[in-house]
Amino acid sequence: MAQIIDGKAVSASVKAEVAEETEKLKEEKGLNVGLAVVIVGNDPASRVYVNNKKKACEAVGFQSFEYALDENTTQEQLLDLVNKLNSDTSVNGILVQLPLPKHIDEKAVINAISPAKDVDAFHPENVGRIMIGEYSFLPCTPAGVMRLIESTGVDITGKQCVVIGRSNIVGKPQAMLLLQKNGTVTICHSKTKNLKEICLGADILVVAIGRAKFVTGDMIKEGAVVIDVGMDRDENGKLCGDVDFESAEKKAGYITPVPGGVGPMTIAMLMKNTLTAAKQQAGIE
Ligand code: GUN
């Protein structure tokens, strides 16, 4: 039976580290840390995420600036706001919540965010930095996954690491981070043949494909570390992950639950990136 990796506990310890350092920055250097979050339109899921980000900012002692824009906001108006935030010194990090309404070109908006304030690490400059291992920010979800793996005490060096999913936000950067920690990395996706065999060879399996309970216990190597990035609904509408937890926990050595695994880590890493951005902008790091 697997040991459960407690994402809430690991996330709380990251946030506590950030809160402590934020307090020190205020006391010793008179610096405040600020995050601007921009949301366009009324997507209910996005609204929940943005509220959670705001709460996390308050909990670690950041200022949060929320810009809730109308669904009909034009691309030009949004780009104007991004430019204004780029030059606002009280804003250290900028996050534009995705997805954006269809009439707005997401790439144009991401490209407009100053790379120094791009706490999502979505800007091509930051993506490129990850490839060469010279980064300031890591994308929040893959960075959170790395912290969860670290929390198990399992050393990644030389391990067979399998990532299922090849998105720009999770799968691809995740593979790079595992590679940087000396893992032997395989990336699988919807066209992969022999997926089960490949998964059965994985010492560390990260699943980010967005299909409910896709990975089952018979695909998991005895004792593997299984990290579930999925956030899906099962046939009864209940929240679940990309991994069938019930069968998987019988085979895995360590496993993340959904909810309470990767989810809480994403926001904690966003707080950490914002703190890093503030320190760099102040010439401290
Ligand atoms: N929408 C869903 N996840 C994310 C995220 O991590 N960052 C942004 N900007 N939008 C999202």
Side-chain angles (χ1 to χ4, degrees):
M1 214 57 164
Q3 234 172 287
I4 311 287
I5 304 172
D6 184 349
K8 280 192 204 156
V10 181
S11 136
S13 77
V14 172
K15 283 195 274 189
E17 276 167 33
V18 172
E20 193 181 328
E21 236 187 296
T22 303
E23 181 63 29
K24 233 165 83 184
L25 272 184
K26 245 182 241 174
E27 275 179 13
E28 292 173 8
K29 314 244 180 223
L31 273 182
N32 279 308
V33 181
L35 174 68
V37 179
V38 182
I39 176 170
V40 184
N42 308 309
D43 179 60
S46 289
R47 191 64 255 169
V48 172
Y49 292 138
V50 166
N51 287 346
N52 289 340
K53 285 166 187 170
K54 213 164 131 185
K55 275 191 220 151
C57 280
E58 281 160 21
V60 298
F62 293 174
Q63 275 187 289
S64 74
F65 307 97
E66 186 186 304
Y67 295 85
L69 307 183
D70 190 83
E71 179 81 27
N72 299 319
T73 302
T74 65
Q75 181 163 320
E76 201 188 347
Q77 285 168 326
L78 181 56
L79 291 174
D80 281 349
L81 173 61
V82 169
N83 285 328
K84 199 182 96 190
L85 297 173
N86 281 341
S87 48
D88 182 341
T89 52
S90 60
V91 171
N92 304 110
I94 302 170
L95 182 142
V96 178
Q97 187 67 30
L98 304 178
L100 289 167
K102 296 242 177 324
H103 64 278
I104 297 178
D105 176 5
E106 278 183 2
K107 270 193 199 157
V109 176
I110 289 169
N111 291 354
I113 297 172
S114 160
K117 295 189 177 184
D118 169 39
V119 286
D120 266 324
F122 289 171
H123 189 286
E125 182 178 319
N126 288 323
V127 174
R129 284 174 173 276
I130 292 160
M131 287 294 287
I132 56 174
E134 286 177 15
Y135 43 77
S136 315
F137 313 123
L138 292 175
C140 302
T141 300
V145 169
M146 296 306 283
R147 282 293 281 251
L148 292 176
I149 297 171
E150 203 180 291
S151 79
T152 66
V154 171
D155 184 8
I156 296 169
T157 297
K159 295 281 173 10
Q160 295 291 334
C161 303
V162 172
V163 178
I164 313 184
R166 55 174 159 179
S167 71
N168 289 333
I169 292 179
V170 184
K172 285 187 211 167
Q174 190 70 69
M176 289 314 300
L177 299 189
L178 290 163
L179 181 62
Q180 272 156 18
K181 292 288 178 193
N182 304 312
T184 302
V185 184
T186 305
I187 307 175
C188 299
H189 46 78
S190 57
K191 306 276 190 298
T192 297
K193 295 194 166 65
N194 308 326
L195 183 68
K196 183 175 172 182
E197 284 71 24
I198 296 169
C199 288
L200 275 169
D203 302 305
I204 297 171
L205 180 64
V206 180
V207 192
I209 43 162
R211 286 211 236 160
K213 301 185 182 180
F214 180 80
V215 170
T216 43
D218 59 330
M219 297 164 77
I220 292 170
K221 181 175 174 177
E222 197 77 47
V225 177
V226 178
I227 309 285
D228 188 349
V229 184
M231 194 61 101
D232 315 302
R233 298 270 165 194
D234 70 8
E235 59 284 0
N236 302 314
K238 195 169 162 252
L239 193 62
C240 70
D242 291 349
V243 176
D244 176 42
F245 187 85
E246 209 179 295
S247 61
E249 75 165 337
K250 295 190 175 87
K251 294 284 290 294
Y254 298 88
I255 190 167
T256 57
V258 176
V262 175
M265 293 305 295
T266 301
I267 290 186
M269 300 321 277
L270 173 68
M271 299 298 113
K272 194 168 157 56
N273 279 350
T274 307
L275 176 65
T276 302
K279 288 197 292 190
Q280 286 187 341
Q281 285 156 33
I284 295 170
E285 202 170 79

